[in-house]
Amino acid sequence: MLAVDTPSVAFGDTSPASGGGESAIRRLALVFLAFVFSIVALDLLFPPPLERARELSPLVTDRNGQWLHAFATPEGRWRFEADLDEIDSLFVSRVIAVEDQRFYAHWGVDPLAVLRAGVTSARSGRIVSGASTITMQTARLLEPRERTIGAKLVEMLRALQIERRLSKREILELYLTLAPYGGNIEGVRAASRIYFDKEPTRLTDAEQALLIALPQAPEARRPDLRAAAAKAARKKVLQKLAGAGVMNDVHAVEADEARLPAKRHPLPRMAYHAAQELALKNKPGVTRSTLDASLQARAEAKLADYVEQFDDGATASLLIVDNKTRAVRASVGSSGLDAKGGWIDLTRATRSPGSALKPFIYGLAFEAGYASANTVIDDMPRAFGDYAPENFDRSFRGEVHVREALQHSLNVPAVRALDRIGASRFAALIRAAGIDLKTPDRADKSPGLALALGGAGVTAREIATLYAGLGGGGEVAPLVWKAADEKEPENAYRLFSEDTAARISSILAGAPSLGGRAPADLTQKASRVAFKTGTSYGYRDAWAAGHGGGYTVVVWVGRADGAPRPGSTGRKTAAPLLFEVFDMLDRDGATEGEIEKIEDDAPVLAMSRFDRPQEKAPPQIVFPRDGVEVFLGSGARGFSLAARGGEGSLRWYVNGEPLRIEETSGRHVWRPARAGFYDVTVVDKAGRRSRAKVRVISG
């Protein structure tokens, strides 16, 4: 009997058939993984250009969100970021109903819409009906292309990418930011503002239908240029909305009869200079400033009207600051962009302040104990080395109180106070308070006594900073321009004490009233204003600055090119506008921080406390005074020279040549050889001198 071996099948058989199947599965898995990896890699390497959505028109609003000024994008378009919280929700739902009913159901591409569009396109050989979802339209707005089947495929891929990166809400906001509305208008906010002069927070049925219709053919349907086409497109949208059940039939008929916008509304253009500065400093988009739109508009109008009285090319600038927070409530850089130099922000221009810094000189003198309001000081001709200041009216008043010296802006007492404080120390303290005091270059690089009379450059903003500090109890802090930064100053620089600030303010509030204006004490509901005027050398700058009722106001009047304006003083030219602005603030109810009347009960300090210890006054020529003309008659023996002050014996020089003392009179006698101009100099034992330029006229 033959034995037959029957092969058995063992568990785990590794026959060739079994091994080939597993290898195929592995290969398929690897191919799939490679495909997925490629898709992810391509998505990461070629992301959708979402950065275009960040190319927005800079917009500056006031502290309450009211528009002040908008600036076009670099390519000249109006495009503002859409926020669904600030857009009529009914409008958004109607956009979805017309453009993409399944918006919340798909991932960027709607297969049903693609199938429908594919059938119609295949029949005609071109794209006839859109399968574009809102996401696909957004992709096309980000990357505009010619409308072809290939471009449609790219849009689909981009739509998938966008959906992976953004939420549905973000996609809607992106679409409503970029959608074209004709001309250089993009986005629903720009369209609503320009066509309807309002934000898209509450749109009528007619307005909504027009804004839904425009993006599909923005140029062909512009209501300001092609009204018939716009009306037809709007009607079609209204019919769709009624058919979709998202609008009442009666309302649709009424909306169809509504008037179309016939022209574009200009965007607000207030606070141009300040808005431009804020827009440049911040990212494109919305910047909320501290300005008050109502106050800004009135300040601009008031300044423009005020400047019309000048016929010499003068302009002006104006600042209104809240003393409590140092927030700028109004900033007018010029009398208008069409004025000479109107594009220059003159609140930032460096100018001579004239006498506007005198209150701060006296304030520091009060702090140091050198003086009080009752201190008697000598307002007489005096030289400080080579510097011999005179009063504006070229007259002197003799002994006066410091209060009078400040209220009447006397020059010699102010220079004397600065000399006692030290010009370098004063400049250092002002700079420590954040004021970039620009002093002229000197041989010894130190500030001079001319600081008291405007011998340094400042800006209107810096003047406002100082006077707001005076109104804020002596604490100086930077001006605040952005609403997000507005709060009471935390790290303010204390220039002087609250008591000193109150005393200086009381003195300034008691200054003589302007001609034709009743004092505040006699006027019902008028705030007392602590104010000071200033006039720079050559009448180039006229200033008025002051605080009252919780505000600081600074006015500058002059020519943008710095040309002289003879006779234009701060009191005559700038102060009237200052008080018009304070009257306006009073009507608004500005009563916070009323300036207290202070009767100075401090002991009367001797004026000698202003003199430096163990220092005598330098010599000063009494005759002939600087700038005079003297007549030399025929047969005249000459002129006796006279001087006061100085130390030791005095020496006289004419045109650099020494004069001898006459033996008969014991005095210096000058005998001019001929008519003409002469330089007369007197020098004391310490080498200090005084000069006078004199003209001799012979008979």
Side-chain angles (χ1 to χ4, degrees):
M1 185 174 180
L2 296 174
V4 179
D5 294 331
T6 305
S8 61
V9 179
F11 181 78
D13 181 27
T14 56
S15 63
S18 175
E22 289 189 4
S23 297
I25 293 173
R26 290 194 192 96
R27 285 194 296 271
L28 288 173
L30 289 173
V31 169
F32 178 74
L33 290 174
F35 175 75
V36 172
F37 177 80
S38 298
I39 294 297
V40 173
L42 289 172
D43 179 53
L44 295 175
L45 289 172
F46 303 100
L50 298 176
E51 64 277 0
R52 184 168 184 267
R54 293 191 289 269
E55 298 172 2
L56 302 171
S57 295
L59 170 62
V60 178
T61 71
D62 82 341
R63 58 180 178 150
N64 299 313
Q66 187 170 339
W67 286 33
L68 289 174
H69 208 297
F71 300 88
T73 63
E75 65 269 25
R77 298 189 177 278
W78 296 113
R79 183 189 304 130
F80 304 103
E81 186 174 21
D83 183 345
L84 292 188
D85 290 335
E86 298 177 358
I87 299 174
D88 192 330
S89 58
L90 183 58
F91 168 73
V92 176
S93 65
R94 287 174 173 175
V95 168
I96 294 172
V98 172
E99 296 293 340
D100 189 359
Q101 293 183 11
R102 288 166 41 80
F103 175 70
Y104 289 105
H106 59 67
W107 290 356
V109 179
D110 187 348
L112 296 178
V114 171
L115 181 62
R116 183 186 66 249
V119 172
T120 56
S121 298
R123 290 174 180 171
S124 62
R126 62 185 181 86
I127 297 177
V128 177
S129 63
S132 293
T133 62
I134 288 176
T135 314
M136 289 172 62
Q137 292 181 55
T138 303
R140 184 168 64 248
L141 294 171
L142 291 169
E143 291 180 294
R145 288 184 174 86
E146 186 179 350
R147 301 191 68 177
T148 63
I149 294 177
K152 184 68 69 174
L153 293 175
V154 174
E155 288 174 15
M156 291 179 180
L157 293 174
R158 286 303 198 194
L160 294 173
Q161 288 182 293
I162 292 172
E163 289 274 350
R164 194 178 75 81
R165 287 169 169 78
L166 304 179
S167 67
K168 291 292 186 180
R169 176 189 175 91
E170 290 171 330
I171 292 170
L172 275 173
E173 290 177 337
L174 188 57
Y175 171 74
L176 293 174
T177 297
L178 299 174
Y181 285 91
N184 62 345
I185 306 172
E186 292 185 2
V188 68
R189 288 190 72 192
S192 184
R193 270 281 181 176
I194 293 173
Y195 287 132
F196 309 130
D197 196 24
K198 66 179 181 180
E199 288 275 17
T201 52
R202 194 168 185 82
L203 298 167
T204 66
D205 291 335
E207 292 167 348
Q208 290 184 18
L210 181 62
L211 293 181
I212 293 172
L214 281 176
Q216 304 311 314
E219 293 305 322
R221 299 174 178 178
R222 279 184 59 172
D224 57 327
L225 298 179
R226 298 172 178 84
K231 184 174 179 63
R234 183 182 68 178
K235 182 173 184 176
K236 188 174 181 180
V237 170
L238 289 169
Q239 291 172 345
K240 285 185 179 180
L241 293 173
V246 291
M247 181 182 290
N248 184 282
D249 290 339
V250 175
H251 291 168
V253 172
E254 292 175 349
D256 184 43
E257 296 173 354
R259 295 179 61 182
L260 289 165
K263 62 179 182 178
R264 292 166 54 129
H265 294 275
L267 295 174
R269 297 189 66 187
M270 286 190 290
Y272 170 80
H273 300 95
Q276 184 185 50
E277 182 181 358
L278 286 169
L280 290 174
K281 285 183 178 179
N282 298 286
K283 295 179 180 179
V286 181
T287 300
R288 181 169 291 200
S289 72
T290 60
L291 302 177
D292 182 288
S294 173
L295 193 56
Q296 178 72 31
R298 286 178 288 156
E300 289 184 8
K302 187 172 289 293
L303 186 144
D305 289 344
Y306 184 79
V307 168
E308 285 186 359
Q309 66 182 291
F310 307 123
D311 57 3
D312 59 352
T315 184
S317 65
L318 168 67
L319 285 167
I320 303 175
V321 178
D322 185 326
N323 291 342
K324 187 175 183 180
T325 62
R326 315 303 161 93
V328 181
R329 297 295 184 225
S331 175
V332 188
S334 70
S335 56
L337 299 182
D338 56 347
K340 291 183 178 179
W343 292 91
I344 302 172
D345 185 354
L346 294 166
T347 68
R348 302 172 62 188
T350 300
R351 300 283 181 168
S352 166
S355 300
L357 296 182
K358 285 179 181 176
F360 305 93
I361 295 173
Y362 286 111
L364 292 174
F366 284 17
E367 287 286 285
Y370 299 148
S372 70
N374 285 334
T375 298
V376 176
I377 190 169
D378 193 3
D379 178 36
M380 292 293 291
R382 178 174 177 179
F384 300 83
D386 294 339
Y387 184 50
E390 292 184 337
N391 288 323
F392 186 80
D393 59 3
R394 294 183 177 272
S395 64
F396 297 91
R397 292 162 177 76
E399 291 186 349
V400 296
H401 292 94
V402 165
R403 177 189 297 102
E404 298 171 90
L406 178 54
Q407 290 174 341
H408 294 275
S409 197
L410 304 181
N411 288 344
V412 175
V415 174
R416 191 173 179 183
L418 180 60
D419 184 52
R420 185 65 183 92
I421 296 168
S424 295
R425 178 170 176 246
F426 174 76
L429 289 170
I430 293 296
R431 285 175 174 139
I435 309 304
D436 184 18
L437 201 64
K438 297 175 179 64
T439 54
D441 290 335
R442 293 162 49 92
D444 57 3
K445 302 296 183 183
S446 61
L449 295 177
L451 282 176
L453 309 183
V458 294
T459 68
R461 295 184 181 189
E462 290 168 333
I463 294 289
T465 300
L466 287 172
Y467 277 82
L470 186 64
E475 289 189 335
V476 180
L479 301 183
V480 179
W481 295 87
K482 293 176 63 177
D485 300 332
E486 184 174 353
K487 58 184 176 181
E488 291 192 36
E490 295 179 349
N491 299 310
Y493 178 83
R494 182 161 287 285
L495 187 60
F496 34 67
S497 68
E498 191 171 347
D499 179 70
T500 294
R503 291 180 183 277
I504 293 294
S505 296
S506 179
I507 292 172
L508 294 177
S513 299
L514 301 184
R517 181 180 178 85
D521 297 342
L522 304 178
T523 307
Q524 188 177 12
K525 295 183 179 180
S527 298
R528 298 186 75 225
V529 177
F531 78 102
K532 182 73 183 73
T533 60
T535 308
S536 69
Y537 179 77
Y539 298 98
R540 288 173 169 81
D541 308 284
W543 294 90
H547 74 87
Y551 287 94
T552 288
V553 177
V554 174
V555 172
W556 171 89
V557 179
R559 286 175 56 109
D561 59 5
R565 301 181 63 237
S568 177
T569 66
R571 186 174 182 85
K572 175 183 175 182
T573 307
L577 178 57
L578 179 91
F579 280 97
E580 284 186 23
V581 173
F582 273 113
D583 289 344
M584 179 177 69
L585 293 171
D586 282 336
R587 289 192 293 270
D588 288 349
T591 57
E592 185 178 344
E594 188 67 24
I595 296 172
E596 180 184 0
K597 285 185 181 180
I598 299 177
E599 298 297 334
D600 200 324
D601 55 359
V604 176
L605 302 176
M607 65 180 180
S608 61
R609 291 178 63 88
F610 271 122
D611 294 327
R612 293 184 180 277
Q614 300 179 349
E615 181 178 319
K616 294 184 178 180
Q620 184 171 355
I621 296 174
V622 175
F623 183 86
R625 293 293 304 277
D626 182 50
V628 302
E629 294 180 346
V630 293
F631 180 76
L632 182 65
S634 58
R637 297 181 59 251
F639 307 109
S640 293
L641 305 180
R644 60 186 293 181
E647 184 177 351
S649 60
L650 302 178
R651 291 168 292 162
W652 289 86
Y653 299 83
V654 175
N655 290 345
E657 297 294 328
L659 294 179
R660 294 183 179 181
I661 300 176
E662 280 209 347
E663 295 180 0
T664 55
S665 64
R667 305 185 63 171
H668 287 89
V669 176
W670 171 38
R671 295 187 176 87
R674 63 185 64 83
F677 290 93
Y678 293 87
D679 287 320
V680 180
T681 305
V682 64
V683 183
D684 70 358
K685 181 180 179 181
R688 296 174 300 176
R689 66 190 61 200
S690 177
R691 292 189 177 92
K693 191 173 184 63
V694 181
R695 183 183 182 186
V696 174
I697 302 174
S698 60

